[in-house]
Amino acid sequence: MSDILVEAKNLTRHFQSSGFPARKRALIHAVDGVSFSIKKGETLGLVGESGCGKSTVGRLLLRLIEPTAGEVYFNGQAIYELGRQEMQLLRREMQIIFQDPFSSLNPRMTIKDIIGEPLDIHGLAVKGNKKAKIFELLEMVGLSSEHAGRYPHEFSGGQRQRIGIARALALRPRFIVADEPVSSLDVSIRAQILNLLKDLQKNLGLTYLFIAHDLSIVKYLSDRVAVMYLGKIMETGSANSIFQRPCHPYTRSLLDAVAIPDPDVQRKRLILNEDEPNLSRPPFGCPFHPRCPQAMERCRREEPLLMELDSEHQAACHLAD
């Protein structure tokens, strides 16, 4: 039996931009032919600049939005072929932790109602057992049963994110999309949430897609890393190979942006040429070539495909050829 839990094949999502008249609306290439797999019990870190399509990929994996093309398989099952009832059953297996712990919680609901809502929707709320289940989930994420009757505005950002994690765990899923779960938190709180996610993965056997733009966080949590740019995967491989031997210039530029906590350490940075291109008019050839200081003529006329560098490292770059 395959050890792959989630697999995306040629996943594509285009959006129509707003505007008038309709015939002048541009087509936004949010996700453009993305393929990868995630093994059971591992964490795949998906990184890239804001607007590169990371969150859209996460929502496509959970079928929160429909794709323009491509397919997603969960434990070997094509999820886009499932009917409404079949998909609702599958949703018990896959959940999401949202980026913003403030807007993702209903301010009019108590914490026990927020965490208990998934149990009600899926018919798993048994009398007498629901309350104990909610208390267990609160304890699991580092809160207490005393917090159950309070409202979201009575908690800090870190505590709210713990509540969001408890809600995601309510149905005992196997796969969780963590969509930049620590980006809006204070640095001191980030470490606590990351350690919590690590402990939960170890204790519950969870599989993560961890979306972020901070590579230092991704390095700490991920087993494998996929680097995304303009809706495409530029480089993918084990965390060690990506951080020790980055092959794509875009990956190297992201690593150069990671702060080093030593004022005496000097390093040569890869300076990019210009701003990110418009998603409605992606450049011909390599999508990164307008910004790449190492671009060749081949990069301007031919789009590179993901090429296997070794058994655990791929890059879409002509320089690696």
Side-chain angles (χ1 to χ4, degrees), residues 285-312:
C286 175
F288 187 62
H289 88 258
R291 303 178 70 191
C292 181
Q294 299 173 301
M296 308 175 291
E297 183 58 34
R298 184 184 179 190
C299 303
R300 297 178 178 87
R301 54 182 169 80
E302 181 184 337
E303 182 179 346
L305 301 177
L306 274 174
M307 180 180 64
E308 189 168 306
L309 306 177
D310 56 48
S311 60
E312 54 180 24

PDB file of all heavy atoms in Angstrom, residues 285-312:
ATOM      1  N   GLY A 285       8.803  31.992 -21.350  1.00  0.00           N
ATOM      2  CA  GLY A 285      10.006  31.297 -20.918  1.00  0.00           C
ATOM      3  C   GLY A 285       9.971  31.014 -19.428  1.00  0.00           C
ATOM      4  O   GLY A 285       8.924  30.693 -18.867  1.00  0.00           O
ATOM      5  N   CYS A 286      11.106  31.124 -18.763  1.00  0.00           N
ATOM      6  CA  CYS A 286      11.152  30.927 -17.314  1.00  0.00           C
ATOM      7  C   CYS A 286      10.410  32.068 -16.633  1.00  0.00           C
ATOM      8  O   CYS A 286      10.706  33.241 -16.899  1.00  0.00           O
ATOM      9  CB  CYS A 286      12.598  30.881 -16.835  1.00  0.00           C
ATOM     10  SG  CYS A 286      12.750  30.796 -15.024  1.00  0.00           S
ATOM     11  N   PRO A 287       9.459  31.781 -15.736  1.00  0.00           N
ATOM     12  CA  PRO A 287       8.710  32.862 -15.093  1.00  0.00           C
ATOM     13  C   PRO A 287       9.572  33.787 -14.234  1.00  0.00           C
ATOM     14  O   PRO A 287       9.189  34.924 -13.971  1.00  0.00           O
ATOM     15  CB  PRO A 287       7.678  32.119 -14.230  1.00  0.00           C
ATOM     16  CG  PRO A 287       8.215  30.748 -14.081  1.00  0.00           C
ATOM     17  CD  PRO A 287       9.007  30.455 -15.314  1.00  0.00           C
ATOM     18  N   PHE A 288      10.749  33.317 -13.849  1.00  0.00           N
ATOM     19  CA  PHE A 288      11.621  34.115 -12.975  1.00  0.00           C
ATOM     20  C   PHE A 288      12.645  34.937 -13.750  1.00  0.00           C
ATOM     21  O   PHE A 288      13.316  35.792 -13.176  1.00  0.00           O
ATOM     22  CB  PHE A 288      12.333  33.184 -11.981  1.00  0.00           C
ATOM     23  CG  PHE A 288      13.124  33.893 -10.920  1.00  0.00           C
ATOM     24  CD1 PHE A 288      12.495  34.747 -10.007  1.00  0.00           C
ATOM     25  CD2 PHE A 288      14.496  33.721 -10.810  1.00  0.00           C
ATOM     26  CE1 PHE A 288      13.226  35.399  -9.026  1.00  0.00           C
ATOM     27  CE2 PHE A 288      15.227  34.368  -9.826  1.00  0.00           C
ATOM     28  CZ  PHE A 288      14.586  35.207  -8.929  1.00  0.00           C
ATOM     29  N   HIS A 289      12.766  34.741 -15.057  1.00  0.00           N
ATOM     30  CA  HIS A 289      13.881  35.351 -15.786  1.00  0.00           C
ATOM     31  C   HIS A 289      13.918  36.884 -15.762  1.00  0.00           C
ATOM     32  O   HIS A 289      15.004  37.462 -15.765  1.00  0.00           O
ATOM     33  CB  HIS A 289      13.935  34.821 -17.236  1.00  0.00           C
ATOM     34  CG  HIS A 289      13.111  35.599 -18.220  1.00  0.00           C
ATOM     35  ND1 HIS A 289      11.873  35.166 -18.667  1.00  0.00           N
ATOM     36  CD2 HIS A 289      13.337  36.778 -18.863  1.00  0.00           C
ATOM     37  CE1 HIS A 289      11.386  36.042 -19.538  1.00  0.00           C
ATOM     38  NE2 HIS A 289      12.244  37.023 -19.666  1.00  0.00           N
ATOM     39  N   PRO A 290      12.749  37.620 -15.718  1.00  0.00           N
ATOM     40  CA  PRO A 290      12.875  39.089 -15.656  1.00  0.00           C
ATOM     41  C   PRO A 290      13.574  39.604 -14.399  1.00  0.00           C
ATOM     42  O   PRO A 290      14.138  40.690 -14.399  1.00  0.00           O
ATOM     43  CB  PRO A 290      11.413  39.560 -15.693  1.00  0.00           C
ATOM     44  CG  PRO A 290      10.661  38.443 -16.327  1.00  0.00           C
ATOM     45  CD  PRO A 290      11.344  37.205 -15.820  1.00  0.00           C
ATOM     46  N   ARG A 291      13.571  38.812 -13.329  1.00  0.00           N
ATOM     47  CA  ARG A 291      14.181  39.240 -12.070  1.00  0.00           C
ATOM     48  C   ARG A 291      15.529  38.569 -11.812  1.00  0.00           C
ATOM     49  O   ARG A 291      16.240  38.969 -10.889  1.00  0.00           O
ATOM     50  CB  ARG A 291      13.241  38.921 -10.902  1.00  0.00           C
ATOM     51  CG  ARG A 291      11.865  39.541 -11.027  1.00  0.00           C
ATOM     52  CD  ARG A 291      10.960  39.142  -9.867  1.00  0.00           C
ATOM     53  NE  ARG A 291      11.370  39.746  -8.626  1.00  0.00           N
ATOM     54  CZ  ARG A 291      10.882  39.406  -7.434  1.00  0.00           C
ATOM     55  NH1 ARG A 291       9.983  38.454  -7.351  1.00  0.00           N
ATOM     56  NH2 ARG A 291      11.294  40.011  -6.345  1.00  0.00           N
ATOM     57  N   CYS A 292      15.833  37.548 -12.576  1.00  0.00           N
ATOM     58  CA  CYS A 292      17.021  36.734 -12.305  1.00  0.00           C
ATOM     59  C   CYS A 292      18.290  37.397 -12.840  1.00  0.00           C
ATOM     60  O   CYS A 292      18.398  37.662 -14.043  1.00  0.00           O
ATOM     61  CB  CYS A 292      16.848  35.351 -12.923  1.00  0.00           C
ATOM     62  SG  CYS A 292      18.252  34.258 -12.613  1.00  0.00           S
ATOM     63  N   PRO A 293      19.277  37.659 -11.986  1.00  0.00           N
ATOM     64  CA  PRO A 293      20.527  38.268 -12.452  1.00  0.00           C
ATOM     65  C   PRO A 293      21.408  37.301 -13.246  1.00  0.00           C
ATOM     66  O   PRO A 293      22.403  37.715 -13.837  1.00  0.00           O
ATOM     67  CB  PRO A 293      21.216  38.690 -11.143  1.00  0.00           C
ATOM     68  CG  PRO A 293      20.669  37.770 -10.120  1.00  0.00           C
ATOM     69  CD  PRO A 293      19.263  37.467 -10.525  1.00  0.00           C
ATOM     70  N   GLN A 294      21.047  36.029 -13.261  1.00  0.00           N
ATOM     71  CA  GLN A 294      21.825  35.017 -13.977  1.00  0.00           C
ATOM     72  C   GLN A 294      21.110  34.517 -15.229  1.00  0.00           C
ATOM     73  O   GLN A 294      21.509  33.512 -15.813  1.00  0.00           O
ATOM     74  CB  GLN A 294      22.122  33.841 -13.039  1.00  0.00           C
ATOM     75  CG  GLN A 294      22.942  34.238 -11.817  1.00  0.00           C
ATOM     76  CD  GLN A 294      23.060  33.093 -10.829  1.00  0.00           C
ATOM     77  OE1 GLN A 294      22.073  32.567 -10.329  1.00  0.00           O
ATOM     78  NE2 GLN A 294      24.288  32.687 -10.553  1.00  0.00           N
ATOM     79  N   ALA A 295      20.042  35.208 -15.648  1.00  0.00           N
ATOM     80  CA  ALA A 295      19.236  34.747 -16.777  1.00  0.00           C
ATOM     81  C   ALA A 295      20.050  34.719 -18.071  1.00  0.00           C
ATOM     82  O   ALA A 295      20.853  35.619 -18.346  1.00  0.00           O
ATOM     83  CB  ALA A 295      18.018  35.642 -16.942  1.00  0.00           C
ATOM     84  N   MET A 296      19.813  33.676 -18.876  1.00  0.00           N
ATOM     85  CA  MET A 296      20.444  33.523 -20.178  1.00  0.00           C
ATOM     86  C   MET A 296      19.377  33.704 -21.261  1.00  0.00           C
ATOM     87  O   MET A 296      18.192  33.819 -20.972  1.00  0.00           O
ATOM     88  CB  MET A 296      21.070  32.127 -20.304  1.00  0.00           C
ATOM     89  CG  MET A 296      21.998  31.738 -19.164  1.00  0.00           C
ATOM     90  SD  MET A 296      22.573  30.032 -19.320  1.00  0.00           S
ATOM     91  CE  MET A 296      21.046  29.127 -19.000  1.00  0.00           C
ATOM     92  N   GLU A 297      19.804  33.708 -22.514  1.00  0.00           N
ATOM     93  CA  GLU A 297      18.864  33.830 -23.624  1.00  0.00           C
ATOM     94  C   GLU A 297      17.887  32.659 -23.640  1.00  0.00           C
ATOM     95  O   GLU A 297      16.703  32.825 -23.938  1.00  0.00           O
ATOM     96  CB  GLU A 297      19.628  33.884 -24.961  1.00  0.00           C
ATOM     97  CG  GLU A 297      18.728  34.075 -26.179  1.00  0.00           C
ATOM     98  CD  GLU A 297      17.881  35.343 -26.096  1.00  0.00           C
ATOM     99  OE1 GLU A 297      18.352  36.351 -25.544  1.00  0.00           O
ATOM    100  OE2 GLU A 297      16.727  35.301 -26.581  1.00  0.00           O
ATOM    101  N   ARG A 298      18.362  31.496 -23.293  1.00  0.00           N
ATOM    102  CA  ARG A 298      17.497  30.315 -23.234  1.00  0.00           C
ATOM    103  C   ARG A 298      16.363  30.492 -22.230  1.00  0.00           C
ATOM    104  O   ARG A 298      15.254  30.017 -22.446  1.00  0.00           O
ATOM    105  CB  ARG A 298      18.340  29.091 -22.864  1.00  0.00           C
ATOM    106  CG  ARG A 298      17.568  27.782 -22.864  1.00  0.00           C
ATOM    107  CD  ARG A 298      18.455  26.646 -22.387  1.00  0.00           C
ATOM    108  NE  ARG A 298      17.727  25.396 -22.348  1.00  0.00           N
ATOM    109  CZ  ARG A 298      18.193  24.271 -21.799  1.00  0.00           C
ATOM    110  NH1 ARG A 298      19.411  24.262 -21.266  1.00  0.00           N
ATOM    111  NH2 ARG A 298      17.464  23.176 -21.792  1.00  0.00           N
ATOM    112  N   CYS A 299      16.632  31.191 -21.128  1.00  0.00           N
ATOM    113  CA  CYS A 299      15.626  31.411 -20.085  1.00  0.00           C
ATOM    114  C   CYS A 299      14.470  32.265 -20.605  1.00  0.00           C
ATOM    115  O   CYS A 299      13.331  32.135 -20.129  1.00  0.00           O
ATOM    116  CB  CYS A 299      16.260  32.090 -18.874  1.00  0.00           C
ATOM    117  SG  CYS A 299      17.652  31.192 -18.159  1.00  0.00           S
ATOM    118  N   ARG A 300      14.756  33.154 -21.578  1.00  0.00           N
ATOM    119  CA  ARG A 300      13.732  34.069 -22.104  1.00  0.00           C
ATOM    120  C   ARG A 300      12.811  33.407 -23.120  1.00  0.00           C
ATOM    121  O   ARG A 300      11.726  33.892 -23.381  1.00  0.00           O
ATOM    122  CB  ARG A 300      14.406  35.290 -22.723  1.00  0.00           C
ATOM    123  CG  ARG A 300      15.198  36.122 -21.722  1.00  0.00           C
ATOM    124  CD  ARG A 300      15.907  37.303 -22.392  1.00  0.00           C
ATOM    125  NE  ARG A 300      16.605  38.109 -21.415  1.00  0.00           N
ATOM    126  CZ  ARG A 300      17.859  37.875 -21.007  1.00  0.00           C
ATOM    127  NH1 ARG A 300      18.528  36.846 -21.509  1.00  0.00           N
ATOM    128  NH2 ARG A 300      18.432  38.647 -20.098  1.00  0.00           N
ATOM    129  N   ARG A 301      13.251  32.289 -23.711  1.00  0.00           N
ATOM    130  CA  ARG A 301      12.444  31.675 -24.766  1.00  0.00           C
ATOM    131  C   ARG A 301      11.958  30.270 -24.437  1.00  0.00           C
ATOM    132  O   ARG A 301      11.044  29.756 -25.090  1.00  0.00           O
ATOM    133  CB  ARG A 301      13.242  31.626 -26.072  1.00  0.00           C
ATOM    134  CG  ARG A 301      14.596  30.957 -25.984  1.00  0.00           C
ATOM    135  CD  ARG A 301      15.346  30.980 -27.312  1.00  0.00           C
ATOM    136  NE  ARG A 301      16.738  30.576 -27.181  1.00  0.00           N
ATOM    137  CZ  ARG A 301      17.156  29.314 -27.095  1.00  0.00           C
ATOM    138  NH1 ARG A 301      16.270  28.327 -27.141  1.00  0.00           N
ATOM    139  NH2 ARG A 301      18.443  29.053 -26.976  1.00  0.00           N
ATOM    140  N   GLU A 302      12.499  29.633 -23.387  1.00  0.00           N
ATOM    141  CA  GLU A 302      12.144  28.239 -23.080  1.00  0.00           C
ATOM    142  C   GLU A 302      11.874  28.080 -21.584  1.00  0.00           C
ATOM    143  O   GLU A 302      12.728  28.396 -20.759  1.00  0.00           O
ATOM    144  CB  GLU A 302      13.279  27.306 -23.510  1.00  0.00           C
ATOM    145  CG  GLU A 302      13.013  25.847 -23.270  1.00  0.00           C
ATOM    146  CD  GLU A 302      14.220  24.999 -23.619  1.00  0.00           C
ATOM    147  OE1 GLU A 302      15.075  25.449 -24.421  1.00  0.00           O
ATOM    148  OE2 GLU A 302      14.329  23.878 -23.076  1.00  0.00           O
ATOM    149  N   GLU A 303      10.680  27.598 -21.242  1.00  0.00           N
ATOM    150  CA  GLU A 303      10.340  27.390 -19.835  1.00  0.00           C
ATOM    151  C   GLU A 303      10.984  26.105 -19.318  1.00  0.00           C
ATOM    152  O   GLU A 303      10.786  25.040 -19.905  1.00  0.00           O
ATOM    153  CB  GLU A 303       8.831  27.311 -19.647  1.00  0.00           C
ATOM    154  CG  GLU A 303       8.422  27.134 -18.198  1.00  0.00           C
ATOM    155  CD  GLU A 303       6.917  27.084 -18.001  1.00  0.00           C
ATOM    156  OE1 GLU A 303       6.176  27.438 -18.936  1.00  0.00           O
ATOM    157  OE2 GLU A 303       6.490  26.689 -16.905  1.00  0.00           O
ATOM    158  N   PRO A 304      11.744  26.170 -18.245  1.00  0.00           N
ATOM    159  CA  PRO A 304      12.380  24.951 -17.713  1.00  0.00           C
ATOM    160  C   PRO A 304      11.370  24.082 -16.966  1.00  0.00           C
ATOM    161  O   PRO A 304      10.450  24.586 -16.308  1.00  0.00           O
ATOM    162  CB  PRO A 304      13.434  25.508 -16.755  1.00  0.00           C
ATOM    163  CG  PRO A 304      12.880  26.822 -16.312  1.00  0.00           C
ATOM    164  CD  PRO A 304      12.098  27.368 -17.475  1.00  0.00           C
ATOM    165  N   LEU A 305      11.523  22.787 -17.087  1.00  0.00           N
ATOM    166  CA  LEU A 305      10.700  21.833 -16.348  1.00  0.00           C
ATOM    167  C   LEU A 305      11.468  21.364 -15.114  1.00  0.00           C
ATOM    168  O   LEU A 305      12.697  21.472 -15.048  1.00  0.00           O
ATOM    169  CB  LEU A 305      10.354  20.633 -17.238  1.00  0.00           C
ATOM    170  CG  LEU A 305       9.605  20.963 -18.528  1.00  0.00           C
ATOM    171  CD1 LEU A 305       9.398  19.686 -19.354  1.00  0.00           C
ATOM    172  CD2 LEU A 305       8.280  21.644 -18.246  1.00  0.00           C
ATOM    173  N   LEU A 306      10.728  20.849 -14.129  1.00  0.00           N
ATOM    174  CA  LEU A 306      11.381  20.318 -12.935  1.00  0.00           C
ATOM    175  C   LEU A 306      12.294  19.163 -13.332  1.00  0.00           C
ATOM    176  O   LEU A 306      11.845  18.180 -13.931  1.00  0.00           O
ATOM    177  CB  LEU A 306      10.339  19.847 -11.921  1.00  0.00           C
ATOM    178  CG  LEU A 306       9.775  20.890 -10.958  1.00  0.00           C
ATOM    179  CD1 LEU A 306       8.655  20.294 -10.131  1.00  0.00           C
ATOM    180  CD2 LEU A 306      10.848  21.459 -10.049  1.00  0.00           C
ATOM    181  N   MET A 307      13.563  19.300 -13.014  1.00  0.00           N
ATOM    182  CA  MET A 307      14.553  18.300 -13.386  1.00  0.00           C
ATOM    183  C   MET A 307      15.125  17.667 -12.126  1.00  0.00           C
ATOM    184  O   MET A 307      15.424  18.352 -11.145  1.00  0.00           O
ATOM    185  CB  MET A 307      15.672  18.962 -14.192  1.00  0.00           C
ATOM    186  CG  MET A 307      16.768  18.027 -14.627  1.00  0.00           C
ATOM    187  SD  MET A 307      18.031  18.904 -15.579  1.00  0.00           S
ATOM    188  CE  MET A 307      18.654  20.035 -14.327  1.00  0.00           C
ATOM    189  N   GLU A 308      15.259  16.360 -12.127  1.00  0.00           N
ATOM    190  CA  GLU A 308      15.762  15.639 -10.965  1.00  0.00           C
ATOM    191  C   GLU A 308      17.271  15.816 -10.858  1.00  0.00           C
ATOM    192  O   GLU A 308      18.022  15.419 -11.750  1.00  0.00           O
ATOM    193  CB  GLU A 308      15.394  14.161 -11.067  1.00  0.00           C
ATOM    194  CG  GLU A 308      15.688  13.399  -9.781  1.00  0.00           C
ATOM    195  CD  GLU A 308      15.079  12.018  -9.764  1.00  0.00           C
ATOM    196  OE1 GLU A 308      13.852  11.903  -9.979  1.00  0.00           O
ATOM    197  OE2 GLU A 308      15.843  11.060  -9.552  1.00  0.00           O
ATOM    198  N   LEU A 309      17.702  16.418  -9.753  1.00  0.00           N
ATOM    199  CA  LEU A 309      19.126  16.621  -9.506  1.00  0.00           C
ATOM    200  C   LEU A 309      19.721  15.428  -8.763  1.00  0.00           C
ATOM    201  O   LEU A 309      20.850  15.039  -9.003  1.00  0.00           O
ATOM    202  CB  LEU A 309      19.349  17.902  -8.709  1.00  0.00           C
ATOM    203  CG  LEU A 309      18.729  19.175  -9.316  1.00  0.00           C
ATOM    204  CD1 LEU A 309      18.956  20.357  -8.403  1.00  0.00           C
ATOM    205  CD2 LEU A 309      19.275  19.440 -10.708  1.00  0.00           C
ATOM    206  N   ASP A 310      18.944  14.892  -7.822  1.00  0.00           N
ATOM    207  CA  ASP A 310      19.270  13.620  -7.181  1.00  0.00           C
ATOM    208  C   ASP A 310      17.956  13.020  -6.699  1.00  0.00           C
ATOM    209  O   ASP A 310      16.880  13.513  -7.030  1.00  0.00           O
ATOM    210  CB  ASP A 310      20.288  13.793  -6.044  1.00  0.00           C
ATOM    211  CG  ASP A 310      19.834  14.800  -4.987  1.00  0.00           C
ATOM    212  OD1 ASP A 310      18.673  14.707  -4.547  1.00  0.00           O
ATOM    213  OD2 ASP A 310      20.638  15.667  -4.594  1.00  0.00           O
ATOM    214  N   SER A 311      18.021  11.963  -5.909  1.00  0.00           N
ATOM    215  CA  SER A 311      16.812  11.235  -5.515  1.00  0.00           C
ATOM    216  C   SER A 311      15.847  12.061  -4.676  1.00  0.00           C
ATOM    217  O   SER A 311      14.660  11.739  -4.596  1.00  0.00           O
ATOM    218  CB  SER A 311      17.194   9.967  -4.748  1.00  0.00           C
ATOM    219  OG  SER A 311      17.936  10.298  -3.580  1.00  0.00           O
ATOM    220  N   GLU A 312      16.336  13.151  -4.060  1.00  0.00           N
ATOM    221  CA  GLU A 312      15.452  13.939  -3.198  1.00  0.00           C
ATOM    222  C   GLU A 312      15.528  15.444  -3.493  1.00  0.00           C
ATOM    223  O   GLU A 312      15.283  16.258  -2.623  1.00  0.00           O
ATOM    224  CB  GLU A 312      15.789  13.686  -1.722  1.00  0.00           C
ATOM    225  CG  GLU A 312      17.251  13.914  -1.359  1.00  0.00           C
ATOM    226  CD  GLU A 312      17.547  13.664   0.111  1.00  0.00           C
ATOM    227  OE1 GLU A 312      16.797  12.913   0.746  1.00  0.00           O
ATOM    228  OE2 GLU A 312      18.525  14.246   0.611  1.00  0.00           O
TER     229      GLU A 312
END
